[in-house]
């Protein structure tokens, strides 16, 4: 068990009263690790989180890089290997911030060393890796949860309430797109790193649909059609997937790492429709009537970075002795991983490590 699991018996008030905090470490020192570090520093200075969240350590494969990162953000410890980080008994939660092809291996390393894990999306490169990771989590009794921030943000409840309210009428169609230009990073185009748009950004479109109208609402997929345009390397540059659920609900998910897009999610009913301004990090929702005029605008609450919600959820789960977060239970992670495997299967896209 981890340092805080069981001993504090899941009582956050006791943690704060005793002056003990959930020590959060970051495995990896790339761009998304910097975003999480910024989040943790802001949480440590915010009265809502300062009493129980502590930015503790960072690990990179190079000690000098880790030490520079530590100094930049004021963390307590820097490690030049992931094994050293995992062995530190003061670490309560490890945020896995490396490319998704490494997530399973590194999360399992941490779990076996007694560390809870918050694993950046996509959870793993495929469903088989996800099952292996979650099996180890079950065996160790530790937390393993996927860090797809839109599952934890307040916008999720806002969208769900809008859908359930009946304001849009009978909802039968949903569209979601997330696309960004190619920044030239190897992880986007390299098959050996499980590159491609689907696992990098398409996962958000699929999760948006799942949360808004899909399996999260009890529907089952009746049929699926999908196409993609590949990079020269063979992984998907752009893709489109149409899903029809068992009750006739239709959803379309598109994503690309070759173009910029509006990143919108559109929920369509027979009384109107709603446009979510950015499915990757919603800040507002416009509700339209049949006259295509805006009926009202819904603001999403201000946030530190948007990552704080997943950190707080993971920390609360640890203190409550839970192995998963209610916001992203293991069943939801597996459903999306299996869906992405199904989509890649339809394309005939297998990564090199899957063909061995």
């Amino acid at each position: 068990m981890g340092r805080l699991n069981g001993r504090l018996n899941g009582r956050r008030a006791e943690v704060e009263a005793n002056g003990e905090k959930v020590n959060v470490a970051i495995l990896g020192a790339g761009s998304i690790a910097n975003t999480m570090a910024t989040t943790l520093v802001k949480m440590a200075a915010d009265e809502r989180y300062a009493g129980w969240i502590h930015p503790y350590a960072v690990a990179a494969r190079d000690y000098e890089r880790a030490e520079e990162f530590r100094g930049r953000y004021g963390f307590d410890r820097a490690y030049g290997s992931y094994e050293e980080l995992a062995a530190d008994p003061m670490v309560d939660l490890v945020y896995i911030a490396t490319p998704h092809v490494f997530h399973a291996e590194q999360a399992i390393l941490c779990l076996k060393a007694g560390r809870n894990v918050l694993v950046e999306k996509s959870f793993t490169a495929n469903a088989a890796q996800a099952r292996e990771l979650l099996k180890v989590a079950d065996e160790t009794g530790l937390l393993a949860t996927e860090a797809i921030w839109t599952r934890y943000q307040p916008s999720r409840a806002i969208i769900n309430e809008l859908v359930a309210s009946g304001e849009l009428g009978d909802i039968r169609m949903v569209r979601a797109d997330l696309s960004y230009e190619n920044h030239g990073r190897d992880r986007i185009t390299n098959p050996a790193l499980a590159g491609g748009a689907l696992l990098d950004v398409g996962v958000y479109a699929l999760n948006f649909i799942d949360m808004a109208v899909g399996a999260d609402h009890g529907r089952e997929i009746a049929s699926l059609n999908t196409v993609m345009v590949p990079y020269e390397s063979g992984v998907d540059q752009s893709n489109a997937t149409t899903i029809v659920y068992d009750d006739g609900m239709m959803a379309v998910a598109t994503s690309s790492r070759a173009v910029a897009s509006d990143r919108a999610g559109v929920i369509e009913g027979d009384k109107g429709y709603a446009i979510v301004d950015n499915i990757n990090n919603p800040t507002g929702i416009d509700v339209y009537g049949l006259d295509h005029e805006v009926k009202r605008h819904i603001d999403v609450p201000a946030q530190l970075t948007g990552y704080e919600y997943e950190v707080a959820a993971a920390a609360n789960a640890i203190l409550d002795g839970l192995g998963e977060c209610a916001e992203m239970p293991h069943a939801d992670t597996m459903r999306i991983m299996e869906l992405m495997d199904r989509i890649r299967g339809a394309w005939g896209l297998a990564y090199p490590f899957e063909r061995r």
Side-chain angles (χ1 to χ4, degrees), residues 18-55:
N18 290 344
E20 292 191 83
K21 301 180 182 181
V22 177
N23 286 334
V24 185
I26 301 175
L27 190 153
S31 59
I32 202 154
N34 281 272
T35 302
M36 178 55 79
T38 298
T39 303
L40 294 174
V41 170
K42 288 185 175 183
M43 292 179 80
D46 189 293
E47 62 181 10
R48 294 169 295 178
Y49 308 107
W52 58 295
I53 300 293
H54 179 64

Side-chain angles (χ1 to χ4, degrees), residues 27-171:
L27 190 153
S31 59
I32 202 154
N34 281 272
T35 302
M36 178 55 79
T38 298
T39 303
L40 294 174
V41 170
K42 288 185 175 183
M43 292 179 80
D46 189 293
E47 62 181 10
R48 294 169 295 178
Y49 308 107
W52 58 295
I53 300 293
H54 179 64
Y56 176 69
V58 62
R61 287 198 170 99
D62 175 79
Y63 175 75
E64 290 184 1
R65 186 182 185 199
E67 175 58 24
E68 189 279 329
F69 189 106
R70 183 207 65 76
R72 189 187 324 152
Y73 295 105
F75 285 17
D76 297 348
R77 299 280 185 272
Y79 293 106
S81 75
Y82 302 147
E83 290 78 8
E84 289 177 282
L85 176 68
D88 185 342
M90 294 300 292
V91 172
D92 300 310
L93 175 65
V94 179
Y95 171 66
I96 308 290
T98 53
H100 35 245
V101 70
F102 303 118
H103 288 177
E105 171 191 346
Q106 293 165 348
I108 289 172
L109 166 71
C110 292
L111 289 165
K112 288 185 174 180
R115 312 293 154 241
N116 302 282
V117 292
L118 173 63
V119 185
E120 184 52 46
K121 65 79 204 161
S122 67
F123 191 61
T124 54
N126 56 40
Q129 290 183 355
R131 290 189 198 96
E132 181 183 8
L133 194 169
L134 294 178
K135 180 175 181 289
V136 175
D138 287 341
E139 291 170 349
T140 59
L142 295 170
L143 175 79
T145 192
E146 185 175 5
I148 181 158
W149 60 342
T150 51
R151 288 270 180 176
Y152 301 83
Q153 291 172 338
S155 57
R156 177 181 185 177
I158 294 170
I159 294 168
N160 285 347
E161 288 168 7
L162 174 63
V163 169
S165 72
E167 183 175 357
L168 303 178
D170 184 20
I171 298 170

Side-chain angles (χ1 to χ4, degrees), residues 154-325:
S155 57
R156 177 181 185 177
I158 294 170
I159 294 168
N160 285 347
E161 288 168 7
L162 174 63
V163 169
S165 72
E167 183 175 357
L168 303 178
D170 184 20
I171 298 170
R172 308 309 302 160
M173 184 84 168
V174 175
R175 293 178 281 128
D177 177 85
L178 189 63
S179 300
Y180 294 98
E181 71 279 14
N182 183 356
H183 295 298
R185 295 172 184 156
D186 184 50
R187 68 175 182 83
I188 301 297
T189 58
N190 190 340
L193 294 179
L198 179 65
L199 268 64
D200 185 54
V201 291
V203 62
Y204 285 109
L206 296 173
N207 269 279
F208 178 87
I209 291 167
D210 191 78
M211 289 187 287
V213 301
D216 208 45
H217 293 254
R219 294 181 172 91
E220 298 290 338
I221 294 175
S223 65
L224 180 151
N225 291 282
T226 185
V227 294
M228 71 92 155
V229 175
Y231 283 108
E232 290 184 4
S233 64
V235 300
D236 59 304
Q237 170 185 280
S238 304
N239 62 73
T241 298
T242 301
I243 297 169
V244 177
Y245 292 94
D246 52 5
D247 63 349
M249 174 74 72
M250 179 176 284
V252 179
T254 54
S255 62
S256 177
R257 281 311 309 255
V259 298
S261 77
D262 59 10
R263 306 176 298 178
V266 185
I267 304 169
E268 303 169 352
D270 62 359
K271 293 182 180 178
Y273 57 95
I275 300 179
V276 180
D277 67 354
N278 175 8
I279 64 168
N280 186 33
N281 185 17
T283 60
I285 303 163
D286 286 321
V287 180
Y288 291 80
L290 296 179
D291 59 0
H292 303 286
E293 297 291 334
V294 177
K295 292 173 57 180
R296 64 187 181 105
H297 175 81
I298 306 169
D299 284 318
V300 174
Q303 53 196 25
L304 300 180
T305 67
Y307 281 58
E308 65 267 27
Y309 305 108
E310 64 190 44
V311 174
N316 272 321
I318 291 169
L319 297 177
D320 289 341
L322 301 176
E324 59 185 351
C325 288

